[in-house]
Amino acid sequence: MVVADDQTVVREGIVMLLGLLPGIEVVGAAADGLEAVRLVGEHAPDVVLMDLRMPRCDGVEATRRIRTEYPATQVVVLTTFADDDSLFPALQAGARGYLTKDAGGDEIVRAVEHVMSGQAGLSPTIQLRLLERLSASGGQRPPAGPAEPRVLPDGLTAREAEVLALVAEGLSNAEIARRLHVSTATVKTHINNLFAKTGVRDRAQAVRYAFHHGIAQPPGAPIT
């Protein structure tokens, strides 16, 4: 992981916090967006934890460059600001996670894991802000940049990949159903479909498949 924040004390504090969290390895720290882009080019990290208000090159522009030049690297915004003028440009630039700086270590890890598995890593505050924006706009989605669909192996749908990631977490069908707010029968259908598409015969093989294709992270695997 690379951390980008222009305030030295904040940046060093975030790096120190992340160093105490299981499964996360910090490979670089940047004081501005240009340095963040350079570090991504040097280290090819899985994730950048990105501040927005920085000199020379702000977090939105840095996010746009990283997602264009190094699409394998995901961006999670960590900022003080949750207003529309900060949130939506960051998401349009390609950020897949957005947290405010009152987030705890567990919330950061959860957001990183979500973006690594193809999901959005949004704090509850940001999710509420998005819902408020949708409600205020009469149900229309906020402006978004060009769609950037994730290419999944063997014709898996996004929902099937999401179910597979939860299988890899060790969740039962009933637990997956509660997590996704669907019926157990629906979960079974998704599992049968993904088994047929991937050629796996049981959950153990499905877990290995998920790890091999990056749909889920193996326990203890460092996120760089």
Side-chain angles (χ1 to χ4, degrees):
M1 177 182 288
V2 165
V3 175
D5 196 296
D6 65 321
Q7 298 182 46
T8 302
V9 173
V10 174
R11 184 173 65 252
E12 292 179 349
I14 293 172
V15 170
M16 184 178 299
L17 170 64
L18 294 175
L20 300 174
L21 300 177
I24 290 184
E25 177 187 356
V26 178
V27 296
D32 57 57
L34 289 181
E35 190 175 3
V37 175
R38 179 181 63 79
L39 288 174
V40 169
E42 289 180 3
H43 298 286
D46 296 319
V47 178
V48 177
L49 202 58
M50 182 79 73
D51 189 22
L52 290 183
R53 308 290 172 86
M54 295 185 292
R56 295 205 301 166
C57 175
D58 65 20
V60 170
E61 179 59 25
T63 297
R64 183 176 294 110
R65 294 186 189 183
I66 289 168
R67 296 297 297 145
T68 299
E69 299 173 25
Y70 311 102
T73 296
Q74 302 293 337
V75 176
V76 175
V77 170
L78 182 63
T79 181
T80 305
F81 307 97
D83 57 282
D84 288 1
D85 290 340
S86 301
L87 171 60
F88 293 111
L91 296 179
Q92 289 168 4
R96 291 296 177 264
Y98 199 108
L99 303 172
T100 52
K101 287 185 176 176
D102 57 356
D106 290 345
E107 192 172 349
I108 293 173
V109 171
R110 187 161 52 249
V112 170
E113 289 175 342
H114 282 173
V115 300
M116 289 301 298
S117 64
Q119 304 175 58
L122 305 174
S123 71
T125 300
I126 297 305
Q127 292 182 44
L128 178 60
R129 188 71 201 96
L130 288 172
L131 289 172
E132 289 174 345
R133 175 66 177 266
L134 286 171
S135 176
S137 62
Q140 296 181 353
R141 293 182 179 273
E148 188 179 328
R150 183 186 181 195
V151 178
L152 294 166
D154 296 316
L156 291 176
T157 66
R159 178 61 101 181
E160 289 164 355
E162 186 176 12
V163 170
L164 179 55
L166 295 174
V167 169
E169 286 185 25
L171 274 63
S172 67
N173 287 1
E175 290 170 331
I176 294 172
R178 287 194 294 272
R179 178 79 65 89
L180 300 181
H181 305 290
V182 297
S183 69
T184 303
T186 297
V187 173
K188 288 180 179 178
T189 298
H190 288 313
I191 289 177
N192 288 337
N193 289 341
L194 71 89
F195 272 33
K197 290 179 179 180
T198 61
V200 303
R201 295 188 298 274
D202 54 39
R203 291 175 95 92
Q205 289 186 353
V207 170
R208 288 195 293 270
Y209 179 96
F211 292 160
H212 177 73
H213 289 279
I215 293 173
Q217 288 287 313
I223 298 170
T224 60

